[in-house]
């Protein structure tokens, strides 16, 4: 297959995991530009997933494979039960590599250093940062445009953000695991992390997406049903106050389904802070039914403060009757034509 450009390897180990022949990976042709490698061991007995068959090691195989993939541009690696620090030196020297996505429990920005050596110019980086390690020094990735950081909490993400120098980034996506704690503790952790994202540090930033989730059940642990935490006693804008300083944002998405609630007027600070906004998604308490009496006023505030706004996704807010007609009529009267909001 000399013209093959993309390869996806997706597997889940069981007790028969020795049947997985890593040597077959070496059959992948050198023409491949995109490699996705997802391994999900299903049993605790296979936790040492890097040792697959005798002395063969996935990292070693990837090292040999990467030497042949001279046109590699995108790589996506997931090893969910890896128990050792994952070594990315096998990617050093891939001058055409532009996008790297690594999901592994033991990754810090120190392990990412091979990605900025040998003339490599990454434009997209996604990784899961571990909170078990300290970072030794700042990592500079001058050409990076898109940055995604997943973490076991806001602290892990803050450590990663603080250790990166990425002045050209225009899109940041943060995916924190929200711990069971008080609203005040969550607010402190959230604002501390987001305070790292400043206009000076990220002068080209246009897009911020934040997706939170509760911790997944631990493997081998008891299946317990816990009541989801309630963070509604602190205004939404207070949790994300540092983002209000980023006046040039055009696309903002905040998704914490079932963890927060927000009255419509709670969105007004966001509208006032981001006059260049073109898209806004606030996905919070999806259990809300019916409409809020103040929702029309919220959309009016969005339309007035954000003249470029074209898309607003506000699931859970509800609609009161005729809200869209009132917004359109308001905009038509004020500017002579209907607003582009949809």
């Amino acid at each position: 297959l000399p013209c093959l450009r993309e390869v996806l390897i997706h597997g889940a180990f069981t007790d028969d995991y020795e049947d997985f022949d890593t040597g077959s990976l070496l059959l992948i042709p050198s023409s491949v530009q995109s490699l996705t490698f997802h391994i999900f061991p299903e049993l605790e007995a296979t936790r040492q997933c890097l040792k697959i068959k005798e002395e063969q090691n996935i990292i070693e195989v990837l090292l040999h494979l990467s030497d042949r993939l001279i046109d590699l541009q995108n790589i996506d690696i997931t090893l969910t039960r890896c128990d050792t620090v994952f070594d990315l030196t096998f990617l050093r020297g891939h001058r055409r590599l532009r996008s790297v996505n690594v999901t592994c429990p033991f990754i810090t920005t120190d392990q990412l250093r091979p990605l900025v050596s040998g003339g490599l110019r990454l434009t997209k980086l996604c990784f899961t940062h571990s909170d078990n390690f300290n970072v030794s020094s700042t990592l500079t990735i001058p050409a990076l445009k898109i940055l995604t950081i997943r973490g076991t909490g806001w602290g892990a993400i803050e450590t990663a953000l603080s250790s990166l120098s990425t002045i050209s980034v225009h899109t940041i996506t943060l995916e924190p695991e929200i711990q069971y704690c008080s609203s005040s503790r969550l607010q402190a952790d959230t604002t501390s992390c987001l305070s790292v994202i400043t206009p000076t540090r990220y002068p080209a930033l246009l897009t911020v997406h934040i997706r939170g989730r509760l911790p997944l059940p631990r493997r081998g642990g008891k299946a317990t049903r816990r009541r989801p935490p309630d963070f509604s006693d602190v205004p939404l804008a207070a949790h994300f106050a540092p983002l209000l300083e980023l006046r040039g944002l055009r696309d903002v998405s905040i998704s914490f389904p079932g963890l927060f609630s927000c009255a419509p007027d709670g969105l007004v600070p966001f509208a006032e802070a981001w006059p260049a906004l073109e898209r806004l998604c606030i996905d919070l308490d999806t259990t809300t039914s019916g409409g809020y009496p103040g929702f029309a006023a919220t959309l009016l505030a969005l339309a007035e403060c954000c003249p470029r706004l074209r898309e607003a996704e506000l699931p859970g807010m509800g609609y009161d009757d005729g809200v869209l007609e009132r917004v359109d009529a308001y905009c038509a009267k004020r500017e002579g034509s209907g607003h582009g909001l949809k």
Side-chain angles (χ1 to χ4, degrees):
L1 300 174
C3 296
L4 190 65
R5 295 290 184 265
E6 183 175 356
V7 171
L8 168 64
I9 300 171
H10 191 287
F13 297 152
T14 63
D15 283 334
D16 297 326
Y17 71 99
E18 290 186 354
D19 292 336
F20 184 88
D21 183 7
T22 53
S24 62
L25 298 179
L26 299 180
L27 299 177
I28 297 175
S30 59
S31 60
V32 167
Q33 298 176 354
S34 179
L35 176 62
T36 299
F37 191 81
H38 290 182
I39 300 297
F40 304 91
E42 293 181 344
L43 302 178
E44 195 68 20
T46 64
R47 282 180 61 94
Q48 293 184 346
C49 65
L50 295 183
K51 295 181 179 179
I52 305 297
K53 188 175 182 181
E54 298 177 351
E55 299 300 320
Q56 280 189 319
N57 183 292
I58 287 182
I59 294 180
E60 293 177 358
V61 172
L62 288 174
L63 177 61
H64 292 300
L65 184 60
S66 66
D67 288 340
R68 296 172 48 246
L69 301 183
I70 57 176
D71 291 328
L72 190 64
Q73 299 178 15
N74 308 291
I75 188 165
D76 183 344
I77 301 174
T78 296
L79 298 172
T80 58
R81 306 305 295 178
C82 175
D83 285 340
T84 60
V85 174
F86 192 63
D87 189 353
L88 293 174
T89 55
F90 70 91
L91 293 176
R92 179 178 289 144
H94 281 273
R95 293 177 179 271
R96 298 187 179 184
L97 192 63
R98 294 294 179 264
S99 174
V100 173
N101 187 350
V102 182
T103 301
C104 184
F106 297 101
I107 285 288
T108 71
T109 45
D110 282 341
Q111 273 67 59
L112 301 177
R113 295 193 182 281
L115 303 181
V116 296
S117 61
L120 188 61
R121 291 181 61 82
L122 279 186
T123 58
K124 182 178 180 180
L125 174 62
C126 310
F127 67 100
T128 301
H129 194 267
S130 171
D131 58 359
N132 298 321
F133 298 94
N134 293 321
V135 179
S136 60
S137 59
T138 300
L139 180 66
T140 301
I141 312 179
L144 197 68
K145 305 296 183 184
I146 301 173
L147 173 64
T148 298
I149 305 176
R150 300 174 290 264
T152 52
W154 282 114
I157 292 179
E158 180 178 356
T159 299
L161 284 172
S162 300
S163 63
L164 291 171
S165 177
T166 53
I167 196 169
S168 298
V169 162
H170 60 67
T171 299
I172 290 180
T173 300
L174 306 179
E175 300 181 359
E177 187 178 85
I178 303 303
Q179 307 300 318
Y180 289 86
C181 62
S182 65
S183 293
S184 58
R185 172 62 185 275
L186 178 65
Q187 181 187 358
D189 292 346
T190 304
T191 55
S192 178
C193 177
L194 297 180
S195 294
V196 179
I197 306 176
T198 63
T200 302
R201 195 180 185 100
Y202 295 96
L205 189 62
L206 299 174
T207 300
V208 173
H209 295 165
I210 302 177
R211 309 186 189 106
R213 61 177 177 83
L214 291 174
L216 296 174
R218 293 193 175 185
R219 185 179 295 268
K222 295 182 179 179
T224 58
R225 185 183 297 272
R226 298 186 65 177
R227 181 189 300 272
D230 181 9
F231 303 124
S232 59
D233 57 327
V234 176
L236 186 66
H239 283 282
F240 301 98
L243 296 182
L244 303 182
E245 303 299 321
L246 304 172
R247 303 282 293 175
L249 291 182
R250 297 182 184 178
D251 184 344
V252 177
S253 174
I254 298 176
S255 178
F256 289 82
L259 297 181
F260 292 91
S261 62
C262 178
D265 58 2
L267 300 182
V268 174
F270 297 111
E272 295 174 342
W274 302 322
L277 201 62
E278 298 175 0
R279 176 182 178 271
L280 175 66
C281 175
I282 306 292
D283 185 1
L284 302 175
D285 184 359
T286 57
T287 63
T288 303
S289 60
Y292 284 104
F295 189 62
T298 298
L299 281 182
L300 289 175
L302 287 171
E304 181 178 29
C305 298
C306 310
R308 298 180 183 177
L309 189 64
R310 296 296 178 266
E311 184 176 346
E313 299 179 28
L314 306 172
M317 286 292 176
Y319 282 72
D320 43 348
D321 293 337
V323 58
L324 296 182
E325 290 79 2
R326 276 180 278 170
V327 171
D328 191 61
Y330 169 83
C331 296
K333 180 180 179 181
R334 193 170 190 274
E335 300 184 16
S337 61
H339 200 280
L341 183 63
K342 58 181 178 179

